[in-house]
Amino acid sequence: MTDNTSRPRGEGGEYVEEITPDDALAVFTDNEPLTAKEVAEELGVVRRTAYNKLSDLEERGDLRKKKVGSRAVVWWRPE
């Protein structure tokens, strides 16, 4: 997990983005759906950060998502 005390900050004190949406997209090497938790574990970030990046990728059209349970969502690359 990322340690917030050592995260780089910009000139205004805001945190600098360390994980880009493209970093999250690179996790999808197979045609297998993944959860935000699985992506977070692969990238070494918290689940919420991964979820935000995955949402950005869905908005761009790079990923699709499906709700598969009461709270579970899976993401995959469209063909």
Side-chain angles (χ1 to χ4, degrees), residues 3-59:
D3 177 9
N4 286 342
T5 60
S6 64
R7 282 182 60 195
R9 292 181 179 258
E11 291 180 20
E14 74 284 355
Y15 287 119
V16 176
E17 181 178 57
E18 293 180 316
I19 302 298
T20 67
D22 289 330
D23 293 332
L25 187 60
V27 174
F28 291 83
T29 56
D30 298 327
N31 247 357
E32 184 177 324
L34 299 172
T35 65
K37 180 180 178 183
E38 291 169 324
V39 172
E41 288 171 356
E42 182 69 27
L43 296 173
V45 297
V46 296
R47 189 198 63 79
R48 188 64 179 162
T49 298
Y51 184 90
N52 291 341
K53 301 308 175 191
L54 294 170
S55 293
D56 291 346
L57 289 165
E58 182 194 21
E59 287 179 22

Side-chain angles (χ1 to χ4, degrees), residues 66-74:
K66 181 178 181 178
K67 192 171 183 179
V68 294
S70 62
R71 293 176 42 181
V73 176
V74 293

